[in-house]
Amino acid sequence: MELYELPLLEVAAKIQAKEVSPVEVVKSSLARLEETEPTLTAFVTTTPEIALEQASIAEKVIGEGNYRGPLHGIPLGVKDLYDTAGVKTTSSSAQRAEHVPDVDSVSVAKLYDAGMILIGKTHTHEFAYGATTPTTGNPWAPDRTPGGSSGGSGAAVGAGVVPVALGSDTGGSIRIPAALCGTVGLKPTYGRASRVGVASLSWSLDHVGPLSRNVVDAALVMAAMSGYDRRDPATVDVPVPDMVSQIGAGVAGKKIGIPVNFYTEQLDPEAAAAATTAATLLESLGAELVEVTIPMADLILATEWAIMMPEAAAYHQDYLRTSPEKFTDEVRTLLETGAAQLATDYVNALRLRTSMQAAWKQMFSAIDVVLAPTVVGPATLRADPFITWPDGTVEGATGAYVRYSAPANITGLPALSVPAGFTSEGLPLGVQILGKPFAEPEILQVGYALEQYSDNVGKIAPVLAGAA
């Protein structure tokens, strides 16, 4: 078995015991990248020279007895929204085609401090404004979308190039590609981790977090990324919990909220069955299933878009004025629409969000977590990113995929997507666990219980060159 195929903690144990060196681990990752990249195009920029230099330094430091922990010497993919000093950060847009930051984003700097090694920058839907990442193929079926906007990260992890990659989540952009690529994706509580040095889509909805092969890996990386940062006024000065030690404690006695509305509408039957199977499994492990009604459900998507669109237009207003032609038609249209939105509509959406947050808090007073499908169905074709429902309704992939993930962005609640099997066509499905504010350890605990019985956790897609 190749090193890139092994779970992160198994590789970490070998590095700590000096059975393998970080250089060997990185070379294995780079070899897998070379094998899969012509098919997937998961990366905007690859950094083999930097990776081998960082690996050599890690090998020397570990050899001197200064092992930093399980992330030391482990390869990392970084979504191309995150600044990386001396390495292009393009946001997959012509607007920033030559942008080379001088300073690392806070998250990247923290993971470097933990000893992680940069393999490359992964593609995003342009400026994270979409949920399909058109540049990139799905590792399980390259003619299908990997989801977005962190599609490159989902594809890179799903294909085995890296065990962990960073994503961002404004309307589901970590969880959507995680579900469609068969990986784990963790969106933390709003304010848990700093977004300094990460290009914004919507200031009050943006979250940063990891995609990984399993729940423990996500916990390790999220803990390393977390913490208060006075430069990001959204971060909250609360202690960073131990996200790993209780992860295997089980779910006995947990009250699992099972939605009877919203997450049941316009839903692929196989995705619905996957969520039902997950709920039944949790119940068999001692959890109690509690039916819940998602509050203000008919206003969720309208509120999400009414906040996101003007905030995105405000962030990009200089580009809109000086070089609008450098945006793709899709993103420019969205930005121009946001710029035309009335201020009163934006303010009313903010007020609605406050009401939704209060209503969800009330719902959570009777449960510990909510369990729901991550997305409405499996990956659509890249050439035809639409879903046709049995009633004849045609829905664009971005709107369809964001539908089930938006509540966690509006409320700011932590949400974890874990693999939940495959469709009859061999495409991955996912379920998500939503928790109370700053309850990442609890949703990780539930997700870990589920993944012990999943048939696609940690599996690497058999990507073949030229398979697109």
Side-chain angles (χ1 to χ4, degrees), residues 421-452:
F422 293 92
T423 69
S424 58
E425 294 183 277
L427 299 172
L429 294 167
V431 294
Q432 61 179 323
I433 303 107
L434 295 85
K436 298 174 183 178
F438 299 102
E440 286 84 1
E442 188 167 34
I443 63 172
L444 289 162
Q445 187 175 331
V446 176
Y448 182 82
L450 282 174
E451 84 172 3
Q452 302 312 299

Side-chain angles (χ1 to χ4, degrees), residues 126-145:
E126 184 181 25
F127 280 111
Y129 214 164
T132 58
T133 317
T135 51
T136 303
N138 188 300
W140 292 94
D143 63 338
R144 302 269 178 165
T145 175

Side-chain angles (χ1 to χ4, degrees), residues 199-226:
S200 177
L201 174 56
S202 174
W203 291 292
S204 69
L205 296 170
D206 292 339
H207 303 67
V208 293
L211 294 90
S212 63
R213 283 192 213 155
N214 61 54
V215 172
V216 171
D217 297 353
L220 288 168
V221 173
M222 193 70 250
M225 294 171 65
S226 296

Side-chain angles (χ1 to χ4, degrees), residues 175 254-263 275 278-279 282 288-295 359-374 404 407-408 411 413-418 431-436 442-443 446-447 450:
R175 291 161 288 149
K254 294 285 185 189
K255 292 184 177 181
I256 312 295
I258 306 298
V260 297
N261 67 326
F262 188 74
Y263 290 104
L282 292 175
E288 178 186 353
L289 305 186
V290 180
E291 289 189 348
V292 295
T293 299
I294 301 300
W360 277 68
K361 181 178 180 180
Q362 177 61 34
M363 181 182 70
F364 266 100
S365 66
I367 57 173
D368 295 304
V369 302
V370 168
L371 177 71
T374 306
Y404 283 0
T411 60
L413 298 174
L416 174 74
S417 180
V418 296
V431 294
Q432 61 179 323
I433 303 107
L434 295 85
K436 298 174 183 178
E442 188 167 34
I443 63 172
V446 176
L450 282 174

Side-chain angles (χ1 to χ4, degrees), residues 47-94:
T47 55
E49 296 85 0
I50 291 172
L52 290 170
E53 180 182 358
Q54 290 178 334
S56 295
I57 293 170
E59 182 177 40
K60 181 176 183 294
V61 170
I62 293 168
E64 293 170 346
N66 297 311
Y67 181 66
R68 298 179 189 175
L71 300 181
H72 202 170
I74 299 298
L76 173 71
V78 175
K79 184 177 183 177
D80 207 34
L81 296 182
Y82 288 74
D83 283 349
T84 42
V87 179
K88 280 186 181 181
T89 301
T90 73
S91 300
S92 292
S93 176

Side-chain angles (χ1 to χ4, degrees), residues 148-208:
S149 64
S150 310
S153 291
V157 174
V161 176
V162 288
V164 177
L166 297 184
S168 63
D169 196 310
T170 305
S173 291
I174 288 172
R175 291 161 288 149
I176 293 166
L180 300 186
C181 294
T183 80
V184 170
L186 174 58
K187 182 200 80 67
T189 307
Y190 187 76
R192 170 65 81 188
S194 175
R195 302 158 309 166
V196 169
V198 182
S200 177
L201 174 56
S202 174
W203 291 292
S204 69
L205 296 170
D206 292 339
H207 303 67
V208 293

Side-chain angles (χ1 to χ4, degrees), residues 249-327:
V251 295
K254 294 285 185 189
K255 292 184 177 181
I256 312 295
I258 306 298
V260 297
N261 67 326
F262 188 74
Y263 290 104
T264 61
E265 300 158 10
Q266 293 288 55
L267 176 61
D268 180 271
E270 290 185 293
T276 299
T277 298
T280 302
L281 172 60
L282 292 175
E283 187 175 36
S284 74
L285 296 173
E288 178 186 353
L289 305 186
V290 180
E291 289 189 348
V292 295
T293 299
I294 301 300
M296 305 175 69
D298 58 330
L299 298 173
I300 289 172
L301 281 180
T303 303
E304 168 80 14
W305 287 99
I307 294 172
M308 181 169 62
M309 293 183 76
E311 289 189 353
Y315 181 81
H316 290 290
Q317 62 182 345
D318 288 343
Y319 286 145
L320 278 174
R321 292 168 180 165
T322 61
S323 54
E325 73 284 353
K326 290 185 178 180
F327 288 115

Side-chain angles (χ1 to χ4, degrees), residues 307-360:
I307 294 172
M308 181 169 62
M309 293 183 76
E311 289 189 353
Y315 181 81
H316 290 290
Q317 62 182 345
D318 288 343
Y319 286 145
L320 278 174
R321 292 168 180 165
T322 61
S323 54
E325 73 284 353
K326 290 185 178 180
F327 288 115
T328 60
D329 291 343
E330 174 196 19
V331 169
R332 186 179 66 253
T333 299
L334 287 167
L335 291 171
E336 289 171 346
T337 303
Q341 184 172 313
L342 294 176
T344 50
D345 291 339
Y346 175 66
V347 171
N348 284 331
L350 295 178
R351 294 173 65 196
L352 277 172
R353 175 169 63 184
T354 300
S355 297
M356 284 184 192
Q357 290 170 335
W360 277 68

